[in-house]
Amino acid sequence: QVQLVESGGGLVQAGDSLRLSCATSGRTFTFSSYAMYWFRRAPGKETEFVAAISQSGSETYYADSVKGRSTISRDNNKKMLYLQMNNLKIADTAVYYCAADDRVPRPSYKIMNYWGKGILVTVSS
């Protein structure tokens, strides 16, 4: 059974930084074979793409809303995905999901092979 488990969320103030982590596991899950993504769903809104990273980590993609403030990274040895978010804004309040897909990463992709259950990030003023 493949599992993606997010951690690192919580309540922060605007301007703070936060690092989300995603731990992956599963006998049939070869982490290095999957592009990894972060998505988020804000209250009352649809799920949106945040960032993606290629299987090797050499390519990264960001939504305009987080570009310049966020860094996606991965550790293939530890089977971990990360999202460092700086200068957080109230608009970043959302449930954040990590996801895995075995294709070449594209920001337009919405269908993923695997999803985590999500973790809440709340940014207060």
Side-chain angles (χ1 to χ4, degrees), residues 37 39 48-52 60-63 104-110:
Y37 292 72
F39 291 86
E48 64 175 0
F49 167 81
V50 175
T60 57
Y61 305 84
Y62 297 93
V104 173
R106 292 290 182 268
S108 60
Y109 288 166
K110 299 186 188 305

Side-chain angles (χ1 to χ4, degrees), residues 2 15 36 38 43 52-53 58 63-64 93 103 109-110 113:
V2 177
M36 297 299 296
W38 288 101
I53 187 167
S58 61
D64 288 343
T93 295
R103 297 168 292 178
Y109 288 166
K110 299 186 188 305
N113 293 116

Side-chain angles (χ1 to χ4, degrees), residues 2 6 16 19 26 28 38 45 52 60 62-63 68-69 71 74-75 81 89-90 96 112-114 125:
V2 177
E6 301 91 343
D16 284 353
R19 189 175 86 151
T28 61
W38 288 101
K45 296 189 177 181
T60 57
Y62 297 93
R69 301 189 293 120
T71 302
R74 66 189 294 161
D75 186 329
L81 175 71
K89 305 178 186 302
I90 294 175
Y96 285 74
M112 302 282 117
N113 293 116
Y114 303 105
S125 59

